[in-house]
Amino acid sequence: MTGPRDSKPLALGRRGFIQKLFAGIIGAVLGLIPAGVGVTFLLDPLRRKAAAGSAVRVASLDALPDDGVPRKFPVIADRTDAWNKFPQVPIGAVYLRRTPDQKVTALNSACPHAGCFVEFKPGDGRFLCPCHDSLFAVDGNIANASSPAGRPLDTLEVEVRNNKEIWVKFQNYEAGKSKKIPVT
Ligand code: FES
């Protein structure tokens, strides 16, 4: 027979079970927090990669003469690889030019054939690639029929902010292709 005295251990047992259940739930929730932090950490480089291709301040408008001759400028920005961030390092170079109608254009200085840096030859008024002799006109178009480059120099988006700063959306494109395919 079970009396009132016998039901006490049973009640305590039930209470103990509920306490353990709650403790288990709280433990599981607390365990999820580091797991969430870990997932965020794992995905962090992917989130940082998403920032690639954003506009970078390259030069002041004053630094670009209005004589129509392209000038070369380095592109300095934060670079991230899978896990590391390198603040303010050169990530490439661009040729900026003021056109006769005072617009600013930008060309990636990497040759689309195999990625060598082209050089603008003021005397010739064209870009020469020293690696395999591709020639490009001042606007970046292919200038010699025997050019091994399969496309013009890569144009980039430019914005003049506050009428004094030149910002470029810097992007590299795959070499050796006839179309512009962004390097991701
Ligand atoms: S890398 Fe420029 S012509 Fe080959």
Side-chain angles (χ1 to χ4, degrees):
M1 267 178 75
T2 51
R5 234 184 271 162
D6 297 329
S7 65
K8 211 170 181 182
L10 190 61
L12 280 173
R14 218 177 271 146
R15 200 176 303 144
F17 171 74
I18 291 169
Q19 281 171 347
K20 278 183 187 165
L21 182 66
F22 271 115
I25 291 170
I26 289 168
V29 169
L30 290 176
L32 283 176
I33 292 171
V37 170
V39 168
T40 305
F41 177 75
L42 281 172
L43 293 179
D44 188 46
L46 299 179
R47 289 192 291 125
R48 278 189 265 158
K49 258 189 179 172
S54 52
V56 176
R57 184 189 177 283
V58 171
S60 68
L61 194 56
D62 292 345
L64 188 61
D66 60 359
D67 56 4
V69 177
R71 301 298 199 287
K72 192 176 183 181
F73 293 89
V75 178
I76 311 288
D78 294 344
R79 185 168 64 82
T80 54
D81 60 20
W83 305 110
N84 300 304
K85 183 172 183 176
F86 304 94
Q88 296 298 289
V89 292
I91 59 168
V94 293
Y95 274 99
L96 300 178
R97 180 172 78 102
R98 285 207 224 193
T99 59
D101 56 356
Q102 293 304 303
K103 285 197 177 122
V104 177
T105 62
L107 296 170
N108 193 323
S109 66
C111 177
H113 177 231
C116 294
F117 288 118
V118 298
E119 293 164 19
F120 185 72
K121 302 289 182 189
D124 185 36
R126 295 186 291 187
F127 294 95
L128 169 69
C129 179
C131 291
H132 312 102
D133 296 333
S134 276
L135 278 171
F136 303 91
V138 72
D139 61 1
N141 280 317
I142 293 172
N144 58 332
S146 59
S147 167
R151 66 171 191 266
L153 292 176
D154 295 318
T155 54
L156 300 169
E157 283 181 40
V158 195
E159 188 188 343
V160 177
R161 295 186 184 173
N162 306 320
N163 211 28
K164 58 182 179 185
E165 294 178 344
I166 302 172
W167 289 67
V168 175
K169 198 169 180 184
F170 186 73
Q171 176 68 55
N172 283 315
Y173 295 89
E174 286 185 22
K177 303 279 166 51
S178 58
K179 292 209 163 82
K180 287 169 73 176
I181 301 170
V183 174
T184 54

